[in-house]
Amino acid sequence: MNALPHGALALSNLDEQILQPGVKGLPLTAPLRQGAIGVQGWNVLHGDTSYPVAVLKASALQHNLAWMRDFCARHGVQIAPHGKTTMCPQLFGAQLANGAWGITLANAVQVRVAHRFGVRRVLIANQLVARSDVRMVLQLLHDDPGFECVVLADSLAGVARLSEEAEAHPLVRRLPVLVELGLSGKRAGCRTPEEALTVARAVERAPGLVLAGFEGYEGLLVSNDREADLRAVADFIARLGALVREADDEGLFGTREILVTAGGSSYFDLVARGFQDLHGLSRPLVAVLRSGCYLTSDHGLYHAHIRELDAREGTPAGAGLRPALEIWSVVQSRPEPDLAILTMGKRDASHDAGLPLPLWHHRPGPGAAHALPDGCTIVKMNDQHAYLRLPEGPVRDMLAVGDLVGCGISHPCTTFDRWPLLLAVDDDYAVQFALNTFF
């Protein structure tokens, strides 16, 4: 049974579903009720699961949930974590139970999934453009007037499409819209504050719509030049805040509160501090971060950024966000002295922002896993093979066919979508419960 808080979501059907043999990562030879996984006595280190297998360390999840809850309280901000990272209802529930304002999503289908499990407030941090998708969301809001959904616009054409559908399918409340401020040469979003104000004025005039606030994504500013990043992020958040003030001065907002939101998973502390400068507005401000990867963190892309964030926050060593997600596989071949081939590949682990990082090795059976020495590196992956290069030394004689290797990953978003089911484990890798994804 899921031991995480459920946040009032309807998760019981997941535990009651019957899993059939063939579920990735499970050693099933007969059907099994999902809620019974935790009483099977499986342990990843004992060789009890199928491999590869994706695991989440439950202690790290609990720690990260509490860390972010305390961070938000300390900085006076809310969080609507980007659900596209995990698309996992059990993790949505745990985040909501730990104070999340809502769940951020990327498209209409994801909204439908979240609503099915009982999420009551979502923010679509993407342009909702296809008429079928706009209608899907409007129908949901019509059928469930208590459900809240905030959408984005970054153009007059986008505003017109939203307004046409909202007029044709009227709601009890007007559809709340955030205007997106973007970055030159990057993804969506108005390229200048002047353009953003023009779009905001169009929203204010559009039938069926109401201007709720402004949105941006500073994560596109991440580079290898940290000092330049810090300056660029601060400037971007300042421009976002200036937009809020100017729109407020013009009386464009039509909601009880003004919503401003940004915050990826690298520099969200800078965003939180920048939002603290927004005061003296005509109505209460709700400042929302959207960091999605904080919950599981990683050993690669975000690891260094989080350590730098810890330094800015004055967080003691070891007290910051902890990596929770690992992929365990088996050594299937030792064709050369410095090479081990693992039963894990691109179908199992992210590779868009760095290859997996080998962390642990273990010969199946009792005992704790041992850290792999420095110099052990995944240098290549095929669909279902990983090439682990081994440095000179004892490790070349240590790893044998059939041994287990645990890897950290870089960029959780593109690992979760490879696993319809992940296993939560304790610190000894005993399997506690299962977590589902819906990509």
Side-chain angles (χ1 to χ4, degrees):
M1 176 178 284
N2 177 17
L4 295 171
H6 56 72
L9 298 194
L11 304 176
S12 59
N13 285 347
L14 294 174
D15 276 340
E16 294 304 318
Q17 68 182 334
I18 302 300
L19 302 175
Q20 299 295 330
V23 175
K24 187 177 178 181
L26 300 188
L28 299 183
T29 58
L32 178 70
R33 187 176 66 86
Q34 180 170 305
I37 281 178
V39 298
Q40 300 306 303
W42 295 337
N43 188 297
V44 173
L45 299 186
H46 296 178
D48 295 333
T49 65
S50 178
Y51 300 87
V53 62
V55 302
L56 288 165
K57 291 186 172 179
S59 62
L61 293 177
Q62 296 281 15
H63 171 86
N64 293 347
L65 287 163
W67 187 99
M68 184 57 84
R69 181 189 63 222
D70 295 344
F71 174 91
C72 289
R74 188 165 65 249
H75 287 278
V77 295
Q78 304 279 357
I79 186 162
H82 212 320
K84 72 171 177 61
T85 300
T86 69
M87 282 307 296
C88 176
Q90 294 99 329
L91 295 181
F92 292 175
Q95 291 170 311
L96 291 166
N98 278 270
W101 176 87
I103 299 293
T104 299
L105 297 162
N107 57 48
V109 170
Q110 292 178 3
V111 171
R112 277 285 177 176
V113 171
H115 180 267
R116 184 199 320 166
F117 288 99
V119 174
R120 303 305 297 156
R121 179 190 285 140
V122 302
L123 189 163
I124 305 179
N126 209 352
Q127 315 302 324
L128 195 61
V129 174
R131 298 198 186 279
S132 56
D133 289 332
V134 178
R135 290 169 187 168
M136 190 189 306
V137 169
L138 292 175
Q139 185 66 52
L140 189 57
L141 292 167
H142 178 272
D143 294 343
D144 185 356
F147 179 64
E148 297 179 47
C149 180
V150 183
V151 303
L152 302 191
D154 71 348
S155 67
L156 299 181
V159 172
R161 293 176 77 87
L162 290 172
S163 181
E164 287 167 9
E165 294 301 327
E167 268 198 293
H169 306 87
L171 302 173
V172 174
R173 299 188 303 272
R174 290 178 291 168
L175 182 66
V177 179
L178 303 177
V179 174
E180 181 171 20
L181 178 65
L183 294 159
S184 179
K186 302 294 184 181
R187 275 185 340 210
C190 299
R191 285 342 197 206
T192 66
E194 293 75 20
E195 183 184 349
L197 277 172
T198 298
V199 174
R201 294 174 187 126
V203 173
E204 191 270 338
R205 295 191 302 267
L209 307 183
V210 60
L211 182 67
F214 289 87
E215 181 272 349
Y217 177 55
E218 81 298 335
L220 298 171
L221 293 166
V222 175
S223 73
N224 293 324
D225 186 341
R226 293 290 194 271
E227 291 303 318
D229 287 358
L230 300 184
R231 293 191 297 270
V233 170
D235 177 69
F236 181 70
I237 297 304
R239 284 189 284 131
L240 197 58
L243 267 176
V244 170
R245 290 191 181 281
E246 193 160 351
D248 192 39
D249 289 343
E250 289 191 30
L252 300 181
F253 296 115
T255 49
R256 285 190 309 106
E257 300 167 322
I258 299 170
L259 178 61
V260 61
T261 174
S265 296
S266 295
Y267 294 130
F268 57 83
D269 62 317
L270 305 181
V271 174
R273 291 194 191 97
F275 285 165
Q276 289 173 348
D277 294 334
L278 272 172
H279 45 74
L281 301 171
S282 67
R283 60 200 74 197
L285 179 78
V286 178
V288 178
L289 305 179
R290 302 196 309 276
S291 315
C293 297
Y294 81 89
L295 183 52
T296 66
S297 195
D298 71 8
H299 291 87
L301 176 65
Y302 294 114
H303 182 76
H305 291 162
I306 293 302
R307 297 292 77 81
E308 292 168 9
L309 185 153
D310 288 343
R312 294 192 296 269
E313 286 286 298
T315 304
L321 296 174
R322 300 173 184 170
L325 177 59
E326 297 176 2
I327 309 295
W328 282 77
S329 61
V330 178
V331 176
Q332 69 174 23
S333 179
R334 287 297 319 276
E336 300 166 16
D338 67 341
L339 180 63
I341 302 297
L342 309 181
T343 59
M344 172 191 75
K346 293 179 179 179
R347 297 188 185 277
D348 311 302
S350 55
H351 53 90
D352 60 313
L355 293 172
L357 294 90
L359 303 172
W360 313 103
H361 70 97
H362 184 73
R363 189 147 294 162
H370 299 280
L372 284 165
D374 292 341
C376 293
T377 308
I378 303 289
V379 296
K380 180 180 178 181
M381 286 201 300
N382 302 142
D383 285 357
Q384 305 200 261
H385 299 81
Y387 297 63
L388 173 60
R389 286 291 176 188
L390 307 172
E392 292 278 358
V395 69
R396 293 190 177 183
D397 297 321
M398 189 185 307
L399 279 184
V401 170
D403 285 356
L404 301 174
V405 173
C407 289
I409 55 89
S410 181
H411 197 197
C413 294
T414 50
T415 293
F416 270 92
D417 63 357
R418 290 159 166 79
W419 294 89
L421 183 143
L422 300 91
L423 297 177
V425 298
D426 66 15
D427 289 346
D428 295 320
Y429 291 92
V431 175
Q432 296 184 319
F433 54 91
L435 298 158
N436 306 91
T437 68
F438 292 82
F439 286 94

